[in-house]
Amino acid sequence: MKLFYTTNEAAEILGVAASKIRFYEKQFNLKFERIGRDRKLTQKDLDKLREIIDVKSKGTLTLKGAERTINKKTDLNKNKNALKARLLTIRAFLQETLDEMA
C-alpha cells in the first residue's frame, strides 16, 4: 500500500473519473495535500471519497443531502468515541475503588 496517491491513481482505484474527485474535493471542502498543482491523497482521503461516492451512487440524494448523511455518520462516531472514553474512565475509577477495598 502506498502512502500517497495521485488524483489519477485514486480515480482508477475508486472507479470514477479524475474530474469527479476534483469536483467532490471542491463541493465537500476536502483538503488534500498538494505539491504544486498535484494532489497527494492518503488512504484516509480515499476512504472519505469512497464514502461520498457510495452515498451519491444511490442516486436519491443531492450533494447537500449526501453531505448531511456523511456528517451524521461522523458525528455518531465522535459520540461513540466520547462515550467509550467516559466509560473507560468510570471503569478505571471503579477498579481503583475495588482495589482500595481489598
Side-chain angles (χ1 to χ4, degrees):
M1 178 167 50
K2 295 173 67 172
L3 292 177
F4 296 103
Y5 301 90
T6 65
T7 305
N8 288 333
E9 290 172 330
E12 187 175 323
I13 290 168
L14 298 171
V16 296
S19 60
K20 186 167 272 197
I21 290 176
R22 290 188 294 273
F23 175 75
Y24 287 149
E25 177 186 19
K26 184 177 179 181
Q27 291 300 313
F28 287 89
N29 294 319
L30 303 175
K31 305 292 183 203
F32 300 141
E33 193 172 329
R34 290 176 179 254
I35 295 181
R37 293 183 53 166
D38 297 329
R39 293 164 179 81
K40 291 177 21 179
L41 288 84
T42 63
Q43 185 61 47
K44 186 177 177 181
D45 295 330
L46 291 179
D47 294 340
K48 183 73 171 178
L49 283 166
R50 189 174 285 115
E51 185 178 12
I52 291 169
I53 291 165
D54 288 345
V55 169
K56 277 301 294 165
S57 69
K58 293 179 182 160
T60 58
L61 296 174
T62 63
L63 285 174
K64 288 287 184 192
E67 186 174 12
R68 279 189 222 113
T69 299
I70 291 166
N71 288 338
K72 281 182 188 176
K73 288 180 185 177
T74 302
D75 290 344
L76 181 61
N77 286 338
K78 286 179 185 175
N79 291 339
K80 284 181 181 179
N81 289 339
L83 178 60
K84 182 178 179 180
R86 280 188 245 144
L87 290 172
L88 288 172
T89 302
I90 293 168
R91 179 182 182 194
F93 171 76
L94 291 173
Q95 186 64 47
E96 188 178 302
T97 304
L98 184 61
D99 291 345
E100 288 175 2
M101 293 175 67

